Amino acid sequence: MTDVDLEYARVRAVLDRPTLRLMSRPTSSVVLAVFRTVFDRDVQYVPAERMHLQVEEHVARLQTTETQRSTETQRSATTAATDPATDTDPGPEPKPNGRALCREWVAAQWLVRSNSPDGDEQYSLTSHALEALSLVDALSSDRALISESRLAMIVDAVHRWAARAEPDPDVQIRRLDAQIAQLQAERDRVASGEEPAAVDDDRMRDGYANITDLIRQLPSDFKRVEEAVASMHREIVEDFRNEVRPIGEVLDDYLARTDTLMQATPEGRAFEGAFELLRDDALLLRLREDIATILEHPFAESLSSTERRTFRNTVGILRQGIEDVLAQRRLLTGTLRDQIVAHDVVRDRELDAVLRSVNRGLATLMGSGATRERIPLGLLPPVAEVGTLRERFYDPDAEAVPPPIEEPDDDVFDDLDVASLRSHGGPLLQELRNALRSDATTSAAAFHGLPPEQRRPVELFGLAHLLTGRPDFETGDTTVAHHAVRPDGSTVTFTMPTARLNGAAPADDDSLEAR
């Protein structure tokens, strides 16, 4: 192959990546806008149902806006040549389906659908989508690509790594002495009372932009490592499921790939470096203090609240990315542990023996039979003829005679008579009717005219039953204390409405009974 063929194949492979497919499709602006809106810089996982609703809402809004813009453009371009009366409305756009769009984006490797710790389904962006969003953010920033801050950062990084790569100890000592002398001179200058060299807002903003460019690349780098671990997890689970290789060979392959995963890719090496960084508490504290110092500079007043919050959350981005990668590793380790515990070696040996015997039987049949000869072959083994088996063995306790029933003690219960039972029963309606027919002026007076054994608390329910329908009792304009007597002789007072009798007899017994 010529150089141009090799270059063409390399370019085609790059253009086939999901990142560039997302950037080059006609609806890339809509998809990227939805991703940036739904997945804020502080939001990495969105529940599935909420994601479907938000996608439908955002896509419908963008669809309406684009339709209106296209209609206005078309009308302005054809106003002079087209009769308005002949314009036809294309009709409303079909309503988007959030679930179908999310399913399409998952198939395009822009979204990942997983289960949360609570068991609910959730969506997250893949490394390809994060890389596309990072590229859009980088291209949308209005700044020069070549600046003093970027060049100084490159020169400092080259100088630092050259010092680490220097094999000659004398040269390293001279480098360290020069650095110490420079720092000592700067310290003496500040200690003598001179003002520190102030950095203007433009240079600070340029340095801040370079730092945010590096921070913007962190989520996609961590997501690549997470996807590499998830891919290895799927392959190992598939090997276990298909039982293509022995379990020992699969475990050896897992251990070897785990050892080389973090060193074989740039993302893995970046993950190892970030992991080492998070182990150093002093370094993290210094990083937080440096971020706070940068945000206290006057140039930071021009930053938006979102930019300040994102820059301040740099350590949180590191922690979240590492936690996601470690969660994938824990999931893979748990799968291997469960497979090892549930793997039955005896069952595998029995299955292998059965399969070998089947192969031997087939070889015998193929060697003795003709080409078109039919041989009856039972697919299921014959049913074993087994007599009745004893289901339960002899239990002496089941044959024992139950203990005799004890005779109840007749002295436990007191003697009861009709009067005692009636004193604990319901209201005496007949006695209450007779009292209401007496010369009493009010129902309360009639109740108090009864003997104590007939003024029980339950009689008030009977009294209310008989007085139902009287206007003065129903409205409750007048309430009077009713002193009732319990069967044990104690008194209790209730307040309830009363009705005026005026010497008139209440309704007849039939109407009272009906009530």
Side-chain angles (χ1 to χ4, degrees):
M1 296 178 65
T2 61
D3 294 341
V4 68
D5 295 331
L6 295 175
E7 191 65 22
Y8 175 78
R10 186 180 67 85
V11 172
R12 284 295 302 269
V14 172
L15 292 178
D16 289 340
R17 293 181 59 184
T19 301
L20 292 182
R21 283 194 282 105
L22 174 58
M23 299 291 294
S24 60
R25 65 180 297 168
T27 59
S28 59
S29 57
V30 175
V31 179
L32 290 174
V34 171
F35 284 170
R36 176 56 70 199
T37 304
V38 176
F39 295 94
D40 195 2
R41 300 187 187 276
D42 297 334
V43 178
Q44 296 186 2
Y45 297 95
V46 177
E49 296 300 327
R50 185 192 304 172
M51 179 72 179
H52 298 158
L53 294 177
Q54 290 181 342
V55 168
E56 289 182 2
E57 179 182 356
H58 296 326
V59 173
R61 181 179 181 84
L62 294 175
Q63 193 177 61
T64 303
T65 304
E66 187 65 24
T67 302
Q68 293 176 354
R69 185 183 297 109
S70 301
T71 303
E72 293 176 358
T73 303
Q74 184 178 5
R75 287 178 179 176
S76 61
T78 60
T79 300
T82 305
D83 185 6
T86 60
D87 291 342
T88 57
D89 188 4
E93 294 287 342
K95 184 178 180 182
N97 190 335
R99 184 183 300 274
L101 289 175
C102 291
R103 189 182 300 113
E104 177 184 350
W105 296 341
V106 169
Q109 300 181 22
W110 301 331
L111 284 179
V112 175
R113 187 166 184 170
S114 59
N115 292 329
S116 64
D118 299 334
D120 300 329
E121 292 185 342
Q122 61 184 6
Y123 287 102
S124 62
L125 295 176
T126 63
S127 61
H128 308 293
L130 291 173
E131 188 176 5
L133 292 175
S134 177
L135 182 59
V136 171
D137 294 339
L139 295 178
S140 61
S141 60
D142 186 12
R143 65 180 184 84
L145 297 178
I146 300 178
S147 60
E148 177 187 359
S149 174
R150 184 172 290 257
L151 293 178
M153 185 180 299
I154 295 174
V155 172
D156 291 341
V158 172
H159 180 75
R160 184 173 63 255
W161 287 105
R164 295 185 180 182
E166 179 58 52
D168 191 353
D170 296 335
V171 176
Q172 290 187 358
I173 292 174
R174 286 198 301 270
R175 287 176 180 269
L176 293 175
D177 290 340
Q179 186 178 2
I180 292 172
Q182 182 181 0
L183 295 176
Q184 185 66 36
E186 182 67 19
R187 181 187 182 281
D188 294 340
R189 187 182 65 82
V190 177
S192 62
E194 296 184 12
E195 292 293 335
V199 181
D200 56 9
D201 293 350
D202 294 337
R203 297 177 64 184
M204 282 296 299
R205 174 172 285 278
D206 185 59
Y208 163 79
N210 289 327
I211 296 174
T212 53
D213 281 344
L214 298 176
I215 296 174
R216 196 181 296 118
Q217 299 173 10
L218 289 176
S220 60
D221 291 340
F222 283 126
K223 185 60 70 172
R224 288 192 188 95
V225 181
E226 182 181 349
E227 291 172 355
V229 178
S231 177
M232 184 171 60
H233 173 262
R234 289 192 297 268
E235 293 176 2
I236 291 178
V237 170
E238 190 68 21
D239 289 342
F240 278 140
R241 186 175 302 166
N242 296 333
E243 295 185 357
V244 178
R245 297 181 296 171
I247 185 173
E249 184 178 346
V250 175
L251 292 178
D252 292 340
D253 181 51
Y254 161 70
L255 296 177
R257 294 175 63 180
T258 303
D259 294 339
T260 59
L261 175 64
M262 299 308 168
Q263 300 298 330
T265 60
E267 296 82 7
R269 291 190 291 270
F271 171 76
E272 288 292 336
F275 195 62
E276 292 294 333
L277 175 66
L278 289 182
R279 289 180 178 178
D280 192 346
D281 295 336
L283 192 59
L284 281 179
L285 180 60
R286 190 182 69 182
L287 177 59
R288 292 182 184 274
E289 294 175 352
D290 292 342
I291 292 175
T293 302
I294 293 175
L295 292 177
E296 291 174 358
H297 193 273
F299 96 95
E301 296 179 358
S302 61
L303 299 178
S304 63
S305 59
T306 303
E307 292 175 340
R308 296 171 64 91
R309 183 177 68 253
T310 303
F311 188 60
R312 190 179 289 110
N313 195 33
T314 301
V315 179
I317 294 175
L318 291 173
R319 290 187 181 276
Q320 183 63 42
I322 290 179
E323 179 61 29
D324 292 340
V325 176
L326 294 180
Q328 284 291 341
R329 294 180 62 176
R330 287 194 295 268
L331 178 62
L332 177 56
T333 305
T335 302
L336 292 175
R337 183 180 62 251
D338 296 340
Q339 181 65 25
I340 293 173
V341 172
H343 195 70
D344 191 353
V345 180
V346 177
R347 182 183 63 85
D348 292 345
R349 292 177 179 175
E350 292 177 352
L351 180 60
D352 292 340
V354 172
L355 293 177
R356 283 194 296 269
S357 64
V358 171
N359 290 332
R360 289 194 298 269
L362 289 176
T364 303
L365 292 176
M366 294 296 294
S368 60
T371 304
R372 297 183 177 275
E373 183 179 357
R374 294 184 178 183
I375 300 176
L377 181 63
L379 298 180
L380 296 177
V383 179
E385 297 180 0
V386 181
T388 303
L389 298 177
R390 182 183 294 275
E391 297 181 357
R392 293 186 301 175
F393 295 96
Y394 173 75
D395 186 4
D397 295 336
E399 304 295 335
V401 179
I405 300 176
E406 297 181 358
E407 294 294 335
D409 190 359
D410 296 336
D411 297 336
V412 175
F413 306 100
D414 297 334
D415 295 336
L416 298 177
D417 54 0
V418 177
S420 177
L421 291 175
R422 191 178 184 187
S423 65
H424 291 81
L428 306 175
L429 296 179
Q430 187 60 41
E431 286 77 358
L432 290 174
R433 291 192 188 94
N434 296 333
L436 293 177
R437 293 191 180 96
S438 64
D439 296 335
T441 59
T442 62
S443 59
F447 177 76
H448 291 120
L450 293 171
E453 63 273 7
Q454 298 179 9
R455 284 191 288 115
R456 300 173 299 160
V458 73
E459 308 298 345
L460 297 177
F461 291 97
L463 184 63
H465 171 70
L466 296 177
L467 296 177
T468 300
R470 295 179 178 270
D472 50 356
F473 181 80
E474 292 286 349
T475 58
D477 295 335
T478 304
T479 57
V480 178
H482 292 67
H483 306 287
V485 182
R486 293 192 178 96
D488 58 359
S490 60
T491 59
V492 62
T493 302
F494 298 94
T495 302
M496 63 179 289
T498 183
R500 298 190 61 82
L501 301 178
N502 296 326
D508 56 3
D509 294 347
D510 295 338
S511 62
L512 290 175
E513 287 293 344
R515 252 199 243 104

